[in-house]
Amino acid sequence: MSIASASAVPLARIHGAGPTGLLTALALADAGWQVTVVDPLEPAGLINRSRAYAFTHSSRNLLERLKLWDAAQSLLVPFRHLELVDLSLREQVPFGLDDLPGRLARAPGSAVGWIGQHRALMALLLERAEADEAIRLLLGPREVAGETLELPEPDLVVAADGPRSPTRAALGIGVAQWPYSQCCLTAQLELRGTDPDQAWELFRAEGPFALLPLGGRQVQVVWSAPEPRCRHLENLDAAAFLDALAGVLPRRFQPDLLLDQQRAFPLQLLVARRLSRGRTVLVGEAAHRCHPVGGQGLNLCWRDVAVLHRLAARVVAHNLPASHLPAAYGQRRWPDLLITLTSTHLMVKLFSNRSPWLLPLRRRLLQLLRRSAPMRRLSLMAMTIGLPT
């Protein structure tokens, strides 16, 4: 039996108010649920982070269903060209709008993908959540400690509280994880040598290196390298860091100005051993974490939200008991999760090495992609849409 009666509005409680937690709240509210979001951070702490995200068409589709795309699109920088380059082999594969499925290529304002800043995105999501009468935000340590005890028992608990999820740990759900020998260093800077609507994925022996457009000459650098090197780069002053950056980039790129403090983060592949227990489901990085190659991280998290949105609507329509939602969610998410996590892991292992045994395979794969439009279309569709669920 569902906790909620057939006539009652189902209740959800979300632990975590990051981009995935807030979007989950908006999705459940859109499906007809009453939602409470709890997070120990206050709004300023949630917003004030210097990072950027890549958005694919799977995220655009969800934002359109939630009537958020028009507002979000104004905050995003589209890129219509993606260049995949193996610097060891000097092989390059260009992706463009022609490599998208027809309906996506013809959509108004279409792009291969979009880049958005964390601060602007979080401000939008918080604004929409605060304005939604079906959503109650309890943000900050006092609110979380003092008010959650008075909350009614929910039909659904959503753990969106990150890779070290206290909710997941309290449920006794273990994780499988593989730490990479690489760290990820991020920075925003002004760069010459690229177009404003062009993104780059450069494969170097020490790890993938992405250049993501932020408008004009500004780009986000996502630099994967061995941990000691990343920690050293993190501690350099601006001039020394730009010199180090110029030393590893192809000659066409010329870094001019560092716009924020470079930061290094450890990288790992993580997946929870199960996606639900009882009335609780795991979404976002509470359930999985992957290497940033290909920009799959946030999009994979938001595909969790898309599935939850559809199932929550079925509960309100009395086509699915609320008690059955967690298991149904897990069944629908596993195929996409496993394929995406495996493919990003294999991509890192294949391209982040100097093995002479793998160079012919890499060359053959890149040449096949460059020469075959159907192969480019298939690979780009897998990156931008994911596995249907």
Side-chain angles (χ1 to χ4, degrees):
M1 289 293 292
S2 167
I3 296 173
S5 68
S7 60
V9 175
L11 306 177
R13 184 170 72 238
I14 300 172
H15 296 174
T20 298
L22 287 178
L23 194 66
T24 301
L26 291 165
L28 292 177
D30 180 78
W33 290 55
Q34 291 285 331
V35 185
T36 300
V37 183
V38 297
D39 195 294
L41 291 179
E42 296 178 349
L46 293 166
I47 291 174
N48 192 26
R49 297 177 186 173
S50 179
R51 62 179 303 183
Y53 305 103
F55 295 86
T56 66
H57 284 269
S58 65
S59 293
R60 172 182 177 161
N61 292 340
L62 176 59
L63 292 173
E64 285 180 336
R65 287 200 298 274
L66 298 179
K67 301 178 178 60
L68 287 167
W69 176 246
D70 288 343
Q73 187 178 16
S74 66
L75 307 175
L76 305 179
V77 176
F79 59 92
R80 297 174 179 84
H81 305 278
L82 170 63
E83 300 289 336
L84 190 68
V85 186
D86 188 317
L87 295 176
S88 298
L89 297 175
R90 300 183 183 276
E91 293 282 355
Q92 185 165 335
V93 181
F95 291 89
L97 292 180
D98 291 342
D99 298 313
L100 289 171
R103 63 182 179 83
L104 298 181
R106 293 190 298 269
S110 188
V112 172
W114 298 263
I115 307 299
Q117 299 268 24
H118 174 88
R119 291 188 180 97
L121 173 68
M122 282 297 295
L124 171 64
L125 295 177
L126 276 169
E127 176 188 337
R128 292 301 178 92
E130 289 169 349
D132 196 318
E133 294 182 354
I135 298 175
R136 181 185 183 190
L137 297 177
L138 299 178
L139 307 180
R142 294 180 181 176
E143 285 76 4
V144 172
E147 294 193 36
T148 54
L149 297 177
E150 304 172 7
L151 298 177
E153 197 68 18
D155 300 281
L156 178 70
V157 177
V158 179
D161 45 358
R164 298 183 181 87
S165 171
T167 309
R168 184 189 66 217
L171 291 170
I173 298 177
V175 298
Q177 54 187 325
W178 297 267
Y180 291 102
S181 58
Q182 302 168 350
C183 270
C184 176
L185 185 137
T186 63
Q188 295 182 11
L189 58 130
E190 289 189 359
L191 181 76
R192 284 176 286 160
T194 185
D195 294 328
D197 66 346
Q198 192 168 33
W200 297 80
E201 187 76 64
L202 310 175
F203 289 116
R204 306 176 64 249
E206 67 176 5
F209 193 117
L211 296 170
L212 308 176
L214 298 176
R217 291 168 49 194
Q218 295 184 21
V219 299
Q220 168 93 17
V221 168
V222 184
W223 184 350
S224 300
E227 183 174 2
R229 178 159 168 76
C230 277
R231 296 304 178 189
H232 169 71
L233 291 167
E234 184 181 32
N235 293 320
L236 294 177
D237 62 31
F241 177 73
L242 291 175
D243 286 344
L245 186 61
V248 301
L249 287 174
R251 290 183 180 178
R252 66 170 292 163
F253 300 114
Q254 299 177 41
D256 286 335
L257 178 66
L258 186 63
L259 301 174
D260 68 351
Q261 175 64 44
Q262 66 270 26
R263 302 288 184 190
F265 308 93
L267 293 174
Q268 65 176 164
L269 174 66
L270 177 148
V271 60
R273 298 190 182 278
R274 54 189 300 164
L275 299 180
S276 68
R277 173 159 283 168
R279 71 188 69 170
T280 301
V281 298
L282 310 183
V283 302
E285 291 194 334
H288 48 79
R289 201 177 196 188
C290 63
H291 195 285
V293 64
Q296 294 300 299
L298 187 66
N299 299 287
L300 191 62
C301 296
W302 282 14
R303 292 205 291 274
D304 295 345
V305 181
V307 170
L308 204 55
H309 179 236
R310 289 195 290 270
L311 293 174
R314 290 185 59 194
V315 171
V316 172
H318 309 306
N319 294 326
L320 178 73
S323 58
H324 292 186
L325 185 153
Y329 165 80
Q331 292 169 2
R332 284 159 175 77
R333 286 306 295 142
W334 274 121
D336 183 37
L337 287 180
L338 293 178
I339 288 175
T340 303
L341 295 175
T342 301
S343 61
T344 55
H345 181 70
L346 291 177
M347 193 180 301
V348 173
K349 292 300 182 182
L350 178 61
F351 288 95
S352 298
N353 64 75
R354 296 180 173 87
S355 171
W357 301 102
L358 291 175
L359 291 180
L361 174 61
R362 283 162 50 179
R363 188 183 299 277
R364 179 61 180 151
L365 286 173
L366 293 171
Q367 290 175 345
L368 181 62
L369 274 176
R370 188 177 69 249
R371 296 168 182 171
S372 172
M375 286 296 295
R376 289 197 306 276
R377 191 170 296 115
L378 181 63
S379 61
L380 191 57
M381 185 172 179
M383 286 193 298
T384 60
I385 298 298
L387 190 70
T389 52

